[in-house]
Amino acid sequence: MIGPEFPAVLEAAARGDEEAFGRLWNDLQPRLLRYFTVAAPAAAEDLASETWLGVVRGLDRFQGTEPAFRAWVFTIARHEVLDWRRRAARRVTEDMPAYGLPEQAAPDDPAAAALEDLSTRAALAMVATLPADQAEAIVLRVVAGLGVDRVAAIMGKRPGTVRVLTHRGLRRLAPGVSQ
């Protein structure tokens, strides 16, 4: 999260400051990619790009807090997923794994980063095996860090439904629980 500097960063980004927009992008892009890896793995990078185009188009009209901005971005992302699913339903496609794509340069501790990446990929792969609505609720709550009310608004469901979906999904993922 950007923190107390968020209003100034948002205002600068809306005025066209590339560095400020870069801060917004750096903060949310990894979370978006994780969301898309679960929601639409074959098109994660493309959907993230389309989401950021939507953000750029509406950035000058957005007003709100950092959590509201995050929810706004993930609302755009969800609309991109729904559009992608509608387009995909019209044509036959074959999902291609996103493995083997070039990664960013190694951070200070490549071994630790590699283990963390494997753990993240394994966790996302497990979440992706859940029913779509449970997987989406978990990713929006845990990866995107959104509250129940915001996730409910994004998914078009009631908060209680989001709680149930999240609970059921996490129970299915728990060791020793079979359903």
Side-chain angles (χ1 to χ4, degrees), residues 2-166:
I2 294 172
E5 301 169 3
F6 177 78
V9 172
L10 179 65
E11 184 180 327
R15 286 193 321 265
D17 183 319
E18 290 181 23
E19 186 176 320
F21 186 81
R23 286 191 66 190
L24 296 174
W25 187 88
N26 284 328
D27 181 51
L28 287 176
Q29 178 68 0
R31 296 168 195 255
L32 276 174
L33 288 175
R34 289 181 184 129
Y35 169 71
F36 289 130
T37 299
V38 170
E45 293 281 339
D46 291 340
L47 291 172
S49 296
E50 291 298 322
T51 299
W52 284 109
L53 285 173
V55 169
V56 168
R57 287 183 195 114
L59 192 58
D60 60 336
R61 293 185 308 274
F62 177 81
Q63 293 181 2
T65 63
E66 188 170 4
F69 179 75
R70 184 175 302 224
W72 179 66
V73 171
F74 276 92
T75 299
I76 294 170
R78 183 159 197 273
H79 289 214
E80 291 297 334
V81 167
L82 295 175
D83 290 346
W84 177 81
R85 287 178 182 162
R86 280 193 279 280
R87 288 189 304 269
R90 290 186 210 126
R91 66 185 187 292
V92 177
T93 60
E94 194 172 314
D95 287 346
M96 300 296 290
Y99 304 109
L101 296 176
E103 299 289 332
Q104 293 183 356
D108 293 331
D109 187 357
L115 289 174
E116 182 178 330
D117 185 50
L118 287 173
S119 297
T120 301
R121 285 186 193 198
L124 291 173
M126 288 176 60
V127 171
T129 65
L130 295 171
D133 55 352
Q134 291 177 8
E136 188 171 19
I138 289 172
V139 171
L140 289 171
R141 290 278 293 126
V142 177
V143 175
L146 300 175
V148 171
D149 291 338
R150 294 211 189 264
V151 173
I154 290 170
M155 293 181 70
K157 299 189 182 299
R158 291 176 295 165
T161 304
V162 169
R163 285 186 195 93
V164 169
L165 289 171
T166 304

